[in-house]
Amino acid sequence: MLSSNQLTQMVHKYLGLYNSTDCIQQICKWTVRESTVGGRGIIATEDILCGEVLFVDRPLIFGPRCGNVIRGCTVCSKFEDDGFFKCSLCALLLCSTECQDFHTDDCNIIAGWKKKVDIEEIDEIVMSHALAAIRALSLNQEQKQFMSALAAHTLPQHGGEIIKLKQYFEIPEEIEKDMIFACQALDTNAFQIATPYGKKEMSLRGLYPVAGLMNHSCLPNATYSYNDERQMIVKTSRFIAAGTEIFTCYSGILWGTTTRRSYLFKTKHFWCKCERCADPTENELTESRLSLKLVLCRDILATLAALGLEDSHLCGLLFYHLHATLAERARRHPDLYDGLKSEIESTIERAYRILRGDISAPVDLELRYRYLGPDCEKPQQERFSILSI
């Protein structure tokens, strides 16, 4: 295991802040140290003002998110195209000859495995889900060492993409192990890459190794955005004093406490105990905030519909939160139930259709669909009993 100093040096080199001639080329106001919340984290070494850029990270590997059920090009990520075709050598889905020429590295790896079935029988969704882990095989030794320094969940559910991939290929044992570790590292540290505004592209995830060292808080002091080259720009969101840990947020920052904590336990395997999660006033929205959440969900859904993105992952989450808000209003005011019933049912049905099987789906999605969806015939009081769990 690398020491904190060794890892800091590796991070600086990866970010272009260090070389053997000039050592530190740029000012860096943080370092990697042991964290008070567990493991290692990024700690400020001097005061940092709000809005300062902490670092610009780039993904070691990236690929379509495992929750995607949309067919899309594995190079440019477009998911609406009449010209999709499957590569005859590797079975990856492509949309053009330009993308075919660009996918050589991925193709060379996959084409080297012996196929168990014909190309036509290989599920392109399985290929898409495994692609980020496949790309880990192209990393150089330093990059692999950096990835191995990151935390990685080893529970059986992490690495399922490779188990499915083995239905179609004979994969050498060592390569299988490397890809499963990549899946474990991705599930622990990957970030969803924002889709450029107005573009109809598959949702991607990327393993940003420096950002992956940041620990979680539901009151983060750092925020991030992406540029056109899939680089992540991490900035402070408020003043950070020297010696303070720099945190990001692994969940939806606008989610309620129960949803945030359940999501973190389901996907990251810990129960958050941050200041916000310990605040009892966070557990229930006021009527004014409930009304604001309804308006925001509906307005954003209308915008996404106008852009033709009704089936995107973001829409699924918004339908879920619109449903949850409507259901909470009906729970508080039973006399409103008959008027809200149809929309409560239709929104959870839409959310379930888009998000089912997605590891990032809200933990109670299936339970809500079963009790509050259109097929449930239980009486009103019993249907809403799940909201008090």
Side-chain angles (χ1 to χ4, degrees):
M1 182 177 178
L2 296 174
S3 68
S4 294
N5 287 337
Q6 288 173 318
L7 186 55
T8 297
Q9 189 176 23
M10 181 178 289
V11 166
H12 286 172
K13 186 174 182 180
Y14 185 76
L15 294 176
L17 301 177
Y18 172 89
N19 67 31
S20 58
T21 304
D22 301 325
C23 292
I24 302 301
Q25 295 177 295
Q26 301 177 30
I27 295 172
C28 186
K29 297 183 179 181
W30 51 266
T31 189
V32 180
R33 289 184 191 157
E34 296 302 310
S35 167
T36 56
V37 300
R40 289 183 285 205
I42 293 180
I43 315 295
T45 53
E46 57 184 277
D47 293 350
I48 309 176
L49 298 177
C50 178
E52 285 196 45
V53 174
L54 294 165
F55 55 86
V56 179
D57 204 356
R58 63 187 189 279
L60 278 171
I61 49 176
F62 70 92
R65 295 177 69 245
C66 285
N68 278 333
V69 292
I70 299 172
R71 296 171 72 249
C73 178
T74 50
V75 174
C76 70
S77 302
K78 285 194 299 186
F79 64 76
E80 284 193 4
D81 197 290
D82 295 331
F84 280 139
F85 62 95
K86 191 182 288 187
C87 174
S88 60
L89 297 176
C90 68
L92 289 174
L93 200 63
L94 304 165
C95 70
S96 65
T97 53
E98 290 81 2
C99 286
Q100 185 175 26
D101 292 340
F102 200 78
H103 91 303
T104 306
D105 290 344
D106 298 335
C107 188
N108 287 341
I109 292 171
I110 300 167
W113 302 332
K114 184 177 179 180
K115 299 173 185 64
K116 296 179 180 179
V117 298
D118 293 335
I119 283 286
E120 292 73 20
E121 297 178 47
I122 299 175
D123 187 338
E124 60 260 25
I125 300 295
V126 170
M127 298 299 300
S128 178
H129 289 176
L131 186 55
I134 292 170
R135 286 172 174 166
L137 301 175
S138 296
L139 297 177
N140 62 37
Q141 200 56 43
E142 281 191 355
Q143 291 169 330
K144 288 179 180 178
Q145 185 181 21
F146 199 173
M147 185 171 71
S148 69
L150 300 174
H153 296 311
T154 57
L155 293 174
Q157 62 264 42
H158 302 289
E161 307 96 305
I162 308 308
I163 304 303
K164 292 178 181 177
L165 189 66
K166 288 177 63 184
Q167 300 175 69
Y168 308 113
F169 299 96
E170 293 182 8
I171 301 174
E173 185 177 349
E174 285 304 311
I175 289 178
E176 178 187 347
K177 287 180 180 178
D178 288 345
M179 289 194 293
I180 287 177
F181 178 79
C183 290
Q184 294 168 342
L186 282 160
D187 288 349
T188 309
N189 304 286
F191 288 80
Q192 181 177 350
I193 301 174
T195 302
Y197 179 77
K199 288 193 175 182
K200 297 181 179 181
E201 294 181 357
M202 290 190 295
S203 181
L204 303 177
R205 61 175 177 167
L207 184 60
Y208 291 84
V210 185
L213 293 169
M214 291 192 292
N215 284 312
H216 165 83
S217 171
C218 297
L219 291 169
N221 51 16
T223 185
Y224 59 88
S225 59
Y226 297 92
N227 63 21
D228 292 339
E229 297 176 352
R230 298 197 181 98
Q231 293 175 323
M232 177 192 285
I233 300 95
V234 180
K235 297 181 180 181
T236 56
S237 56
R238 60 176 183 267
F239 172 78
I240 299 176
T244 303
E245 183 162 0
I246 298 169
F247 291 104
T248 187
C249 184
Y250 296 169
S251 65
I253 200 164
L254 297 179
W255 296 355
T257 298
T258 301
T259 302
R260 289 196 318 273
R261 297 188 80 231
S262 298
Y263 170 80
L264 290 168
F265 182 74
K266 176 184 176 182
T267 60
K268 307 298 183 183
H269 311 302
F270 71 90
W271 289 108
C272 185
K273 298 177 181 179
C274 73
E275 179 185 349
R276 184 179 174 194
C277 286
D279 183 355
T281 63
E282 276 273 337
N283 287 324
E284 186 168 293
L285 291 175
T286 63
E287 285 295 326
S288 61
R289 289 184 177 183
L290 206 62
S291 297
L292 177 61
K293 189 175 179 181
L294 277 174
V295 171
L296 288 172
C297 286
R298 284 177 170 149
D299 285 353
I300 298 172
L301 280 167
T303 301
L304 292 173
L307 294 171
L309 300 174
E310 299 97 325
D311 293 322
S312 66
H313 182 266
L314 176 59
C315 267
L317 290 173
L318 286 165
F319 277 122
Y320 169 84
H321 287 292
L322 178 56
H323 155 82
T325 309
L326 292 165
E328 177 60 17
R329 175 157 285 177
R331 183 189 71 82
R332 295 183 190 182
H333 308 286
D335 56 308
L336 299 178
Y337 173 67
D338 288 339
L340 296 173
K341 179 175 179 290
S342 176
E343 194 174 6
I344 289 171
E345 293 178 346
S346 64
T347 48
I348 192 60
E349 184 176 34
R350 293 286 299 274
Y352 182 74
R353 180 172 60 80
I354 296 171
L355 298 174
R356 62 182 173 182
D358 190 328
I359 193 171
S360 67
V363 70
D364 61 348
L365 177 70
E366 189 168 341
L367 186 66
R368 283 180 175 270
Y369 178 71
R370 196 185 320 146
Y371 274 78
L372 297 169
D375 297 328
C376 181
E377 298 179 356
K378 298 180 185 294
Q380 178 181 345
Q381 186 174 358
E382 188 176 345
R383 297 184 82 179
F384 283 86
S385 65
I386 63 164
L387 300 185
S388 60
I389 293 175

